[in-house]
Amino acid sequence: MINATNVHKFFYTPDRLHALRGVSLSVAPAEVVVIIGPSGSGKSTFLRCLNRLEYADEGSILIEGRDILDPDCEINEVRAEVGMVFQSFNLFPHLTVLENLTLAQTTVRKRGKAEAEKKGMELLRKVGIAEKHSVYPDQLSGGQQQRVAIARALAMDPKAMLFDEPTSALDPEMVGEVLDVMKNLAREGMTMVVVTHEMGFAREVADRVVFMDQGSILEVGSPDRFFTAPEHDRTKLFLSQIL
Amino acid sequence: MTQYRGLDKPKGRGFFLFWKAMFVAAMLALVAFFWVASSSVEYIWRWNRVPQYFWVNEAADVRAEAEGDVTIIDRQGNEQRVVVRDASGEEHPHMLPGEGTVLVSTGDFAYRGDVLGRYQLNKPGILLEGLWITLEVSVLAIIGGIVIGVVTGLCRISINPMLRWGSIAYIEIIRGSPLLVQIFLWYFVVGTLINALLEHVGLGGISPLWYGVMALALFTGAYVAEIVRAGIQSVHRGQMEAARSLGMSYAQAMRKVILPQAFRRIMPPLAGQFISLIKDSSLLGVIAIRELTKATREVVTTSLQPFELWIVCAVLYLVLTFTLSLFVQYLERRAIR
């Protein structure tokens, strides 16, 4: 499904920063991979490389066999198949909740208005927010906004979903509602790559947990093994700091 | 919008009452100052003679242009015709509107200059015509300025060097030179060439009005471009990322997500720019477009009442700019999201 091999990424800000140092990761269909690590470890950068919001400088990234680092790659087609959920929601503030869900359906998937709205309402019901379909995003709580953002990504019928710290900007009591939506999604067999600090979620839902530090993957393992018997010292230190 | 009154010591009712009263007092003082100033100048104010330049409503005569017998009086469609045949037998038709009164009858002898008929002239005066031209030029230039500005603004942030440098060059040249000079160049240099070419291929020339509109639109476009660019760049980059991550193309994301949000933010600076444009249109008088300022100047030379007319002129500009200002405020309120 997702095959990243030896991915390097440099930032020039303006000093050269080696953000990713040869990251390799494969994600099988219906697999849920959770990436954890300290801030600045490159986990968000890696996630953003997967749908080319950041252009990886070296290595190869295949999404369903399509090489997205190939300049001739139809990246918009690939992105339509890979949903993304952001830390700061990034809902379109000038559109109502339902319009947020229908915009890409009509422009990218070329669906009719009625079909797109039907699909949109279905998804809003699924994330439990159907009654808010005609309000604007700034009238919603953070948790509601993030659920709308997930529904917006799902409206494209993606084959995989990328989550970039989806609960980090939420008030504590709203984290649960978003995680519940994500858990349901995982149960339904969605391929997911999740960057998060929610260890409970990782333990419960993840098929594999990836630990990143300083631009490299230090450790990969099943949640059980990862949280109970980490191998790497850096992993142990990190877990002891946050658990 | 929101006033953070809690940041400082709360103000009492008296504070607001006092300063409101002070505002009224200041306004009254201003009016009084002008009153005193206007009565101390040696000038006879004749406001009653201003309305005739707004709307002409006066009796007009049709006078004989030849000397001879009145041979025919009849109606020609909507008009009346009085034909005078001179000594050599040549017929001179004189037309007057259908509702006018013919003051001669067939067989009368008319000397040159005799009144043949009289009708009531009822049409907009020169000031109103000037106002209309100013409005027309401004609206056309605003539309042109928006189109040019948006395109240039988008080019300004393009990665294509030709588009980016081209737009920068355009913006810097236009913003760095006086509008008056640009109007001269457009009309006398570019206009002469274009009109000569058109004549060469057998087409009529373009009227000065369109060169004026072009000069104003290009001038405003440069400012609008920078406003649009700033507006686009003020939209959070997450919006572009969200739109692109859904598979939308750059153009789709720009049109459906970024520009609608940018436009809401740039409405106030755009309004300021267009108010400037309305006032700048007063420079078009130099290329023989009889807009409001030029019309006023003409009336002043014939009426010798400069003060009344320039005041009227200023008030008319204020009416235009204030209306635009209100319209933009209405748009802003409507598009509050």
Side-chain angles (χ1 to χ4, degrees):
Chain A
M1 183 82 208
I2 299 173
N3 268 301
T5 323
N6 198 23
V7 173
H8 286 265
K9 174 71 189 169
F10 301 94
F11 285 118
Y12 302 90
T13 59
D15 304 329
R16 199 172 105 129
L17 177 75
H18 201 163
L20 295 178
R21 299 164 187 258
V23 177
S24 299
L25 181 72
S26 288
V27 182
E31 193 182 17
V32 177
V33 174
V34 172
I35 305 176
I36 60 174
S39 68
S41 60
K43 48 195 194 311
S44 284
T45 304
F46 177 62
L47 196 74
R48 289 160 60 83
C49 282
L50 293 182
N51 66 349
R52 222 173 85 178
L53 285 185
E54 303 286 355
Y55 206 111
D57 294 305
E58 280 171 43
S60 86
I61 299 175
L62 302 180
I63 306 288
E64 291 208 297
R66 298 166 82 151
D67 181 4
I68 63 165
L69 296 184
D70 178 357
D72 293 329
C73 169
E74 290 293 339
I75 189 67
N76 292 332
E77 288 174 16
V78 177
R79 286 193 185 126
E81 303 293 332
V82 181
M84 179 131 188
V85 175
F86 299 85
Q87 179 177 355
S88 50
F89 326 135
N90 293 347
L91 291 176
F92 306 135
H94 61 299
L95 300 177
T96 65
V97 165
L98 188 57
E99 285 164 351
N100 263 276
L101 269 66
T102 55
L103 177 62
Q105 291 191 65
T106 49
T107 52
V108 180
R109 290 281 190 232
K110 307 289 177 207
R111 289 176 189 152
K113 188 163 180 272
E115 189 194 352
E117 284 182 350
K118 183 163 165 281
K119 174 97 192 166
M121 286 307 296
E122 245 168 55
L123 285 164
L124 285 178
R125 266 191 292 278
K126 185 171 165 181
V127 299
I129 203 168
E131 73 283 0
K132 301 272 191 188
H133 64 87
S134 60
V135 307
Y136 286 87
D138 60 2
Q139 291 164 274
L140 298 175
S141 73
Q144 291 171 326
Q145 288 191 45
Q146 194 59 299
R147 283 186 281 153
V148 172
I150 294 173
R152 179 177 68 178
L154 290 176
M156 302 298 289
D157 295 318
K159 299 205 170 66
M161 288 278 283
L162 310 175
F163 292 84
D164 187 4
E165 306 202 20
T167 57
S168 298
L170 297 179
D171 289 343
E173 78 269 23
M174 293 169 182
V175 170
E177 61 192 61
V178 172
L179 291 182
D180 285 341
V181 170
M182 290 167 64
K183 284 173 193 166
N184 282 334
L185 213 51
R187 217 167 289 139
E188 288 167 16
M190 174 63 76
T191 313
M192 291 162 67
V193 182
V194 185
V195 169
T196 186
H197 295 294
E198 295 296 327
M199 296 306 145
F201 175 81
R203 197 170 258 173
E204 187 182 339
V205 182
D207 296 309
R208 270 189 301 159
V209 178
V210 174
F211 179 75
M212 280 184 78
D213 188 34
Q214 298 192 342
S216 326
I217 292 180
L218 291 189
E219 193 164 345
V220 183
S222 70
D224 276 347
R225 198 191 54 72
F226 186 86
F227 287 108
T228 51
E231 288 169 5
H232 212 282
D233 287 342
R234 185 68 186 89
T235 319
K236 286 176 193 159
L237 177 66
F238 179 73
L239 289 175
S240 72
Q241 278 166 340
I242 59 161
L243 288 178
Chain B
M1 289 206 201
T2 325
Q3 296 203 3
Y4 300 101
R5 287 193 178 141
L7 291 179
D8 290 305
K9 182 182 160 199
K11 304 283 191 285
R13 261 178 69 80
F15 171 87
F16 294 103
L17 272 177
F18 175 75
W19 287 109
K20 280 173 191 169
M22 287 306 279
F23 171 77
V24 174
M27 286 293 131
L28 288 176
L30 197 66
V31 170
F33 173 77
F34 275 107
W35 180 260
V36 172
S38 69
S39 46
S40 67
V41 290
E42 256 180 69
Y43 186 79
I44 302 158
W45 295 84
R46 280 184 294 225
W47 286 101
N48 60 324
R49 292 183 54 183
V50 172
Q52 57 177 322
Y53 301 111
F54 275 92
W55 197 269
V56 180
N57 190 357
E58 58 188 19
D61 296 335
V62 173
R63 291 174 184 274
E65 287 160 12
E67 204 168 286
D69 292 319
V70 175
T71 48
I72 309 170
I73 298 176
D74 61 0
R75 295 190 83 88
Q76 298 258 315
N78 249 345
E79 293 185 307
Q80 303 180 77
R81 186 176 67 154
V82 178
V83 177
V84 176
R85 182 157 60 190
D86 64 18
S88 66
E90 197 185 335
E91 297 199 320
H92 299 270
H94 298 77
M95 311 303 292
L96 76 162
E99 65 277 8
T101 334
V102 177
L103 296 175
V104 290
S105 35
T106 35
D108 285 359
F109 188 83
Y111 289 96
R112 187 185 294 269
D114 276 2
V115 177
L116 299 179
R118 185 166 285 162
Y119 63 96
Q120 201 64 18
L121 199 60
N122 200 6
K123 68 179 183 70
I126 178 169
L127 283 184
L128 221 49
E129 280 175 356
L131 183 70
W132 171 248
I133 297 285
T134 291
L135 188 66
E136 189 184 353
V137 167
S138 302
V139 169
L140 289 172
I142 284 174
I143 294 170
I146 290 176
V147 173
I148 295 171
V150 170
V151 171
T152 314
L154 287 171
C155 289
R156 178 78 177 70
I157 54 172
S158 161
I159 55 162
N160 181 328
M162 150 97 190
L163 295 180
R164 192 172 68 245
W165 294 343
S167 61
I168 292 173
Y170 159 69
I171 290 168
E172 292 303 329
I173 290 171
I174 294 289
R175 288 202 309 186
S177 57
L179 177 57
L180 186 62
V181 175
Q182 290 176 30
I183 292 172
F184 276 134
L185 290 179
W186 279 114
Y187 182 55
F188 291 112
V189 179
V190 180
T192 307
L193 176 69
I194 290 178
N195 279 353
L197 286 176
L198 285 175
E199 206 173 325
H200 190 70
V201 296
L203 293 168
I206 301 172
S207 82
L209 184 115
W210 288 103
Y211 290 107
V213 167
M214 192 160 68
L216 278 182
L218 281 165
F219 181 76
T220 307
Y223 288 89
V224 172
E226 284 295 87
I227 295 173
V228 167
R229 178 186 65 84
I232 288 172
Q233 288 178 338
S234 79
V235 176
H236 193 267
R237 60 184 289 229
Q239 292 292 313
M240 184 52 111
E241 287 180 354
R244 296 308 301 276
S245 76
L246 289 165
M248 295 167 80
S249 67
Y250 178 81
Q252 286 171 333
M254 218 14 131
R255 213 171 55 237
K256 303 279 187 180
V257 176
I258 307 296
L259 284 180
Q261 295 183 56
F263 266 116
R264 257 148 241 196
R265 293 176 202 199
I266 64 181
M267 215 82 97
L270 273 188
Q273 192 54 49
F274 294 146
I275 285 170
S276 275
L277 180 138
I278 291 178
K279 293 180 293 176
D280 287 343
S281 73
S282 62
L283 291 172
L284 293 181
V286 299
I287 56 169
I289 299 173
R290 200 154 85 179
E291 42 66 57
L292 186 50
T293 303
K294 169 103 166 146
T296 308
R297 204 153 36 196
E298 286 180 13
V299 176
V300 166
T301 48
T302 54
S303 71
L304 300 175
Q305 291 172 278
F307 290 173
E308 292 95 329
L309 286 159
W310 284 120
I311 290 171
V312 165
C313 176
V315 169
L316 289 176
Y317 274 109
L318 256 177
V319 169
L320 288 185
T321 54
F322 193 61
T323 311
L324 178 67
S325 193
L326 287 180
F327 177 65
V328 172
Q329 277 177 31
Y330 161 78
L331 283 185
E332 255 181 277
R333 258 202 308 280
R334 229 185 48 155
I336 197 75
R337 317 219 140 263

